[in-house]
Amino acid sequence: MTLDAPTTSAPSSDESSADTITVLDPVTGAVASETRRSTADEVRDAVARARAAATGWARTAPGERGAILRAAAERLRDHAEDLAAMNTRETGKVPGDALGGVEAGINTLVQYAELGPLHRGEALRGNHGAADFAVPHPRGVVLALTPWNDPVAVACGILGAAIVAGNTVVHKGSERSPGTIALLNRLLAAELPEGVLVGVDGDATTGEQLLAEDGIAVYAHVGSTATGDRLAEAALRTRAHVIRENGGNDAAVVDADVDPVWAADQVALGSFANTGQICTSVERVYVHRDIADEFTAALVSAAERKTASAAADFGPLVDERLRATVQQHVDQAVASGARVLTGGSVPEGAGTFYPATVLADCTDDMLVLTEETFGPIAPLRIVEDLEEGLRLAAEDRYGLAATVLTGDTATALRAAAELPVGTVKINAVFGGAPGGSAEPRGASGSGFGYGPHLLDEMTTTTVVHLEAAPRRTTTTAPAGATTVDPATAGSHDTDTATAQDVR
């Protein structure tokens, strides 16, 4: 998903101190935010507060939980521009996209406020005169670990589902956007009962402290595969339920029967939007040889237009650490025989900008095709036919999403049936129905990370079998006589009662 730091890494900024996380504006290089890191005592207290609130919140009626969550969403709406501005300062996300991310987060909270009270169990078919049914129950305390690349939208998805399902939450966001997450937590917590949402500010060290705490029922994580693996490892001890949407190395397969200019525009959108810092960015491009020349020329033109855009339309990478990783992947490809058709080097000037880059002659062993680069890179691999393109798209340790651009319905249906990913997109790199759910595979994670199915992930299911008990019958008997309960007749444990005991 995102290249956030593994939980054993150092803070992301050289400016950070033991007590403060300092984030630099990736556009200007100036200080964007300073956030105090939570102490070990505060981490323990956060978990204790969430645990203390869990029983009362679980017993709150679902309709009331939904109404409170809707009020929290409206509070965010009142402060949407403040959240978006902080996001832009910390991560360089262009203002329009930052505000769009906040609005998406608000809409997600509203969606869960409506879905939560409707989340229901199942009636089962049992014996005549008996009732069998399954009911959902909150899991308890959820540890939410959320990323920086769309911090408000992604966090609201996890928080909204967890809270409306009756769980309490301890939330730590990425150290790359701590000010944005701190503001988000404060705004939401102001509308929620004490302890339902507790924010923790910190970095990888703070994350390790949280994993050491007992009493957390769910680890819900969107971020790097390395961090997701660490959570799965910790869950072996704590037995927490793990929901993880992690790294992706999404392929785009371009068929010979599509318009090459249109296809290039689709790939440019998938590779360069948010400067390539999207979990489902196009990271690998397999283009049919018959249209490769026209497609490549159009993609280079689209990349150069993107690079020439102002910072308000094509922002920087989040920080120097990520830019170094992107450059490393490009350099390794070039050293192995790839050609840079446009971009490919760090520009002069302030900030952590990187140009939209197109690489030709890429081979299957290059980092740009085998790893998640998470930057504005479009590596091209020419294929002889769709058979080869689909095969190469499937041969990857990640399993987040894939795009197929084709005019052939049979190819589209085959891709949907055979590509081992959570989402297959046909003829559109982004989009989808409201409330959609997806389940990543392989190194990309496990469990449904959003949509109505996330409510299932946030709850346990109890199956109930109910039969009527026989009614106790008593009769008035002469003094000294006994009465026998027919239900226990013949039992050596049958109690007796005198007439004076019967009322």
Side-chain angles (χ1 to χ4, degrees):
M1 172 70 181
T2 66
L3 293 175
D4 59 354
T7 54
T8 55
S9 73
S12 62
S13 171
D14 292 338
E15 301 294 324
S16 296
S17 68
D19 300 322
T20 304
I21 301 172
T22 300
V23 174
L24 303 182
D25 186 326
V27 174
T28 66
V31 173
S33 68
E34 292 184 316
T35 305
R36 190 180 67 82
R37 186 180 284 105
S38 298
T39 67
D41 286 343
E42 288 169 334
V43 169
R44 286 190 289 272
D45 180 66
V47 176
R49 288 167 58 194
R51 292 184 69 177
T55 299
W57 186 242
R59 292 175 177 174
T60 301
E64 183 178 350
R65 295 198 298 254
I68 292 173
L69 187 62
R70 180 181 289 275
E74 293 308 313
R75 190 175 186 89
L76 288 195
R77 200 182 306 278
D78 293 339
H79 296 271
E81 293 185 0
D82 296 335
L83 274 168
M86 177 62 78
N87 186 4
T88 295
R89 287 199 301 274
E90 289 189 319
T91 70
K93 195 174 185 71
V94 300
D97 287 352
L99 185 58
V102 174
E103 292 171 344
I106 293 167
N107 292 337
T108 299
L109 292 179
V110 171
Q111 171 184 274
Y112 281 123
E114 296 172 351
L115 289 175
L118 303 180
H119 189 225
R120 59 189 180 188
E122 298 176 344
L124 309 174
R125 294 177 65 87
N127 294 332
H128 176 73
D132 292 84
F133 52 94
V135 293
H137 298 290
R139 289 183 179 271
V141 178
V142 174
L143 173 59
L145 301 171
T146 60
W148 53 267
N149 61 318
D150 202 354
V152 177
V154 176
C156 283
I158 293 176
L159 301 182
I163 289 169
V164 82
N167 303 285
T168 59
V169 182
V170 176
H171 179 208
K172 190 194 88 67
S174 169
E175 67 268 24
R176 281 166 157 160
S177 57
T180 304
I181 293 299
L183 177 57
L184 173 66
N185 286 336
R186 287 197 301 272
L187 291 170
L188 292 176
E191 296 292 335
L192 297 167
E194 158 60 25
V196 172
L197 172 62
V198 186
V200 171
D201 303 312
D203 54 15
T205 301
T206 312
E208 287 292 344
Q209 292 169 353
L210 286 164
L211 294 183
E213 292 294 314
D214 292 325
I216 296 175
V218 179
Y219 299 151
H221 172 246
V222 177
S224 73
T225 296
T227 302
D229 289 345
R230 176 69 186 97
L231 297 180
E233 176 187 298
L236 294 176
R237 178 188 68 83
T238 65
R239 295 183 175 84
H241 177 61
V242 180
I243 311 164
R244 47 186 290 200
E245 183 182 323
N246 296 155
N249 191 29
D250 294 0
V253 181
V254 184
D255 202 350
D257 62 357
V258 298
D259 181 286
V261 176
W262 167 80
D265 286 341
Q266 283 290 309
V267 170
L269 177 62
S271 294
F272 308 141
N274 199 34
T275 324
Q277 301 167 119
I278 299 176
C279 58
T280 53
S281 289
V282 171
E283 299 264 348
R284 301 176 287 151
V285 184
Y286 300 104
V287 57
H288 197 292
R289 182 176 295 281
D290 289 355
I291 64 167
D293 289 345
E294 292 178 86
F295 171 87
T296 301
L299 183 59
V300 169
S301 295
E304 290 176 345
R305 290 194 301 272
K306 201 69 174 174
T307 299
S309 301
D313 297 313
F314 184 62
L317 294 170
V318 67
D319 58 22
E320 188 56 49
R321 177 159 59 96
L322 178 55
R323 186 163 71 167
T325 298
V326 172
Q327 189 63 58
Q328 175 194 4
H329 284 200
V330 171
D331 290 345
Q332 191 266 353
V334 172
S336 300
R339 291 182 296 122
V340 177
L341 302 184
T342 186
S345 61
V346 173
E348 296 181 355
T352 53
F353 290 91
Y354 198 86
T357 298
V358 180
L359 301 176
D361 301 335
C362 293
T363 57
D364 300 331
D365 58 346
M366 294 177 180
L367 290 175
V368 291
L369 290 184
T370 61
E371 296 295 331
E372 181 183 42
T373 302
F374 221 65
I377 312 299
L380 305 185
R381 166 74 155 83
I382 294 176
V383 295
E384 299 301 325
D385 51 39
L386 251 292
E387 178 79 23
E388 183 182 17
L390 292 176
R391 176 179 61 80
L392 292 171
E395 292 178 355
D396 190 66
R397 69 189 183 100
Y398 297 97
L400 195 57
T403 299
V404 178
L405 306 179
T406 180
D408 182 61
T409 301
T411 297
L413 293 173
R414 180 182 172 190
E418 297 181 2
L419 288 176
V421 296
T423 303
V424 175
K425 298 170 285 186
I426 308 296
N427 296 331
V429 293
F430 297 129
S437 298
E439 188 173 19
R441 305 178 192 177
S444 291
S446 61
F448 287 97
Y450 49 93
H453 289 85
L454 184 52
L455 294 173
D456 297 332
E457 298 279 359
M458 291 292 181
T459 52
T460 58
T461 299
T462 298
V463 174
V464 180
H465 174 72
L466 174 63
E467 292 187 18
R471 297 176 63 86
R472 181 181 181 186
T473 60
T474 59
T475 59
T476 302
T482 61
T483 58
V484 178
D485 186 343
T488 57
S491 169
H492 293 293
D493 295 326
T494 300
D495 293 329
T496 60
T498 63
Q500 65 204 39
D501 294 324
V502 178
R503 299 290 185 264

